[in-house]
Amino acid sequence: MAGIPHDHYEPQKPVAKWLHSRLPVVGLLYDTLMIPTPKNLNWMWIWGIVLTFCLALQIVTGVILAMHYTPHISMAFASIEHIMRDVNGGYMIRYAHANGASLFFFAVYIHMFRGLYYGSYKAPREVTWIIGMLIYLLMMATGFLGYVLPWGQMSFWGATVITGLFGAIPFVGESLQAWLLGGPAVDNATLNRFFSLHYLLPFIIAGLVIVHIWAFHTTGNNNPTGVEVRRGSKAEAERDTVPFWPTTSSRMSLRCSSSWRSSGRSLASCRTTSAIPTTTSKPIR
């Protein structure tokens, strides 16, 4: 799977050999987790893992919310109130979904900045970058569709303004806007199709994420120096790389936790220095 030479999965037990010869899913998982990664990756490479977590969080919480949501203009807002007030843990699930979307975009912007700064969009990783941009466009579309679902004043006028932008396209604008809205204005058909697309797009994003991971596993990871790892043989590759699991993943986790601890110490020192002194100073004579 990867362009960097490394050990592949070799089943040992008869059952494992039988499954591997018919459906090599264990080997695929092994190659995914044990992919060789450059030794010099820094904390900027952790955001891909954060984005994977965010996508899983959004799908899980979104499916639960969809069980209690009613996509009808006369009942949508009331169903949101029902989720917040009556569903066990509903307020927590909804806030996790809403704030998880903010974390999703925060992480993706850092992920994109890292790709631009370190040149991860250059050959041979152009396809990886293009797929990432498609994921970003679908993320924006999904976020907008979800913004409409609570069906408050901001939702209604947000849908009116954004779909009006498509109506400004010459020649086909009006037809395109009517197709998006399901009619001449924002109405029940609009809410229904927005809910349907908001439910569908995250699974399309998940499929593109799999292709995205497949693409960069094929070319190998970029690294801060921009110098490609040696690929002449497995022994050469081992001098420049380490397995993603458990070496790189644990290293990234430690870097993330250490950055949180250092930021906590900085905050504590700021509080200490800005605190009002408890001792009274001596009067000046």
Side-chain angles (χ1 to χ4, degrees):
M1 183 177 176
I4 303 174
H6 67 288
D7 291 327
H8 295 279
Y9 173 71
E10 293 293 339
Q12 302 298 327
K13 298 182 179 180
V15 176
K17 292 180 180 179
W18 176 84
L19 179 63
H20 186 69
S21 63
R22 290 158 175 80
L23 183 65
V25 62
V26 179
L28 179 63
L29 181 62
Y30 179 89
D31 286 344
T32 302
L33 291 177
M34 303 302 293
I35 178 177
T37 56
K39 292 181 177 180
N40 60 338
L41 296 186
N42 57 32
W43 68 273
M44 292 289 284
W45 266 259
I46 197 175
W47 295 103
I49 303 174
V50 175
L51 287 168
T52 306
F53 166 77
C54 289
L55 179 60
L57 176 67
Q58 294 302 101
I59 290 177
V60 171
T61 55
V63 168
I64 297 173
L65 290 174
M67 296 176 184
H68 304 278
Y69 177 76
T70 305
H72 192 278
I73 56 174
S74 62
M75 292 182 284
F77 190 81
S79 67
I80 298 295
E81 290 294 310
H82 168 68
I83 291 171
M84 296 295 291
R85 298 176 185 273
D86 302 328
V87 177
N88 291 331
Y91 70 94
M92 183 175 62
I93 296 172
R94 181 174 177 240
Y95 285 147
H97 192 72
N99 293 290
S102 299
L103 176 61
F104 209 170
F105 279 96
F106 175 79
V108 81
Y109 285 130
I110 298 180
H111 192 62
M112 291 164 59
F113 171 78
R114 189 265 298 167
L116 290 170
Y117 185 78
Y118 289 110
S120 298
Y121 57 90
K122 299 178 181 178
R125 300 176 179 88
E126 306 96 331
V127 174
T128 305
W129 179 261
I130 292 171
I131 296 172
M133 289 297 99
L134 292 176
I135 294 172
Y136 174 60
L137 292 176
L138 290 179
M139 282 177 58
M140 289 194 295
T142 307
F144 164 66
L145 296 172
Y147 185 79
V148 177
L149 297 185
W151 205 244
Q153 285 292 319
M154 294 290 289
S155 304
F156 178 85
W157 293 111
T160 303
V161 171
I162 298 301
T163 54
L165 297 176
F166 292 92
I169 300 175
F171 305 110
V172 298
E174 292 184 2
S175 301
L176 180 60
Q177 183 181 11
W179 178 77
L180 289 172
L181 296 178
V186 177
D187 206 342
N188 192 61
T190 309
L191 183 61
N192 269 279
R193 62 183 55 196
F194 277 25
F195 172 70
S196 178
L197 291 173
H198 183 71
Y199 195 97
L200 172 66
L201 288 182
F203 295 99
I204 298 178
I205 292 174
L208 284 176
V209 166
I210 295 174
V211 179
H212 187 69
I213 295 173
W214 185 11
F216 82 76
H217 278 207
T218 302
T219 58
N221 269 300
N222 191 20
N223 64 86
T225 62
V227 179
E228 295 290 337
V229 299
R230 289 170 286 188
R231 309 185 185 204
S233 64
K234 177 187 167 186
E236 283 186 351
E238 287 178 347
R239 297 191 187 101
D240 296 338
T241 61
V242 290
F244 174 77
W245 178 267
T247 309
T248 303
S249 56
S250 59
R251 184 185 300 171
M252 293 296 180
S253 301
L254 289 174
R255 284 174 177 170
C256 186
S257 60
S258 63
S259 63
W260 277 107
R261 285 197 300 268
S262 62
S263 62
R265 285 195 297 267
S266 301
L267 181 60
S269 63
C270 290
R271 289 174 177 172
T272 303
T273 54
S274 61
I276 299 175
T278 55
T279 58
T280 57
S281 59
K282 295 181 180 180
I284 300 175
R285 298 179 179 177

